[in-house]
Amino acid sequence: MQHREEQHNIHELMQARWSPRSFSSELLTKDQIEALFQSARWAPSSGNGQPWRFVYATSDQQEDFQRLVNLLDEGNAIWAKNAPFLMVVFSKTTRDNGKPHAGHLYDTGLAMGQFCLQATAMGLQVHQMGGFAMDKANEALQVPSDYQPIAMAVVGHPAPFTLLPTQDLQTREQTKSTRKALQETVHVGTWEGTYQEMS
């Protein structure tokens, strides 16, 4: 199924990227994992601070993987527990000199954007989630307090939607992804300046 409407002026990777919930149990190779983290490593960052940090586990690391699953809200855990790779994304709130880093979330988001596109280029998909126990993540994973948990993510090969455990999830998996029109998100000159999208 095509999950995105074709856009003639964007790269095919962006059209192919989406966020499935049904994943194959096939483990990622070490080379695949390395490539994903290398792609994030080379993201732009303010002052080259690189505030992103990742704590991950694969499904064959049962104790570590379950620790991550336990952080998820029930609605996410019900399907994410069947995936082969799970991680928490953290962002360092201070610079190396100890001063607050106002742009740390922006930088970490850029790193995850590259991570997602690299995954798509490799035939994998990423589903990012905000539904998890952010207030428990640092303690559960022994992460210093100046690192803010911002998302969890599942990575793997997408699988048939029929493998999802509920009818609601199966229906959602078949729903096309939509986006707001550019006129709603892009302004020319001032807030009142309306962008004219090409037909």
Side-chain angles (χ1 to χ4, degrees), residues 179-188 190-199:
R179 289 295 186 270
K180 293 179 180 179
L182 292 183
Q183 290 91 334
E184 298 181 64
T185 61
V186 180
H187 305 268
V188 182
T190 70
W191 190 262
E192 299 302 322
T194 302
Y195 181 84
Q196 297 299 318
E197 190 169 353
M198 295 173 61
S199 58

Side-chain angles (χ1 to χ4, degrees), residues 117-133:
L117 290 179
Q118 178 66 35
T120 305
M122 294 161 55
L124 303 170
Q125 291 291 358
V126 181
H127 188 116
Q128 300 177 83
M129 302 165 286
F132 70 102

Side-chain angles (χ1 to χ4, degrees), residues 4 9-18 117 120:
R4 301 226 186 280
N9 54 352
I10 68 171
H11 196 280
E12 61 185 12
L13 278 179
M14 298 178 203
Q15 295 182 153
R17 187 214 64 79
W18 69 293
L117 290 179
T120 305

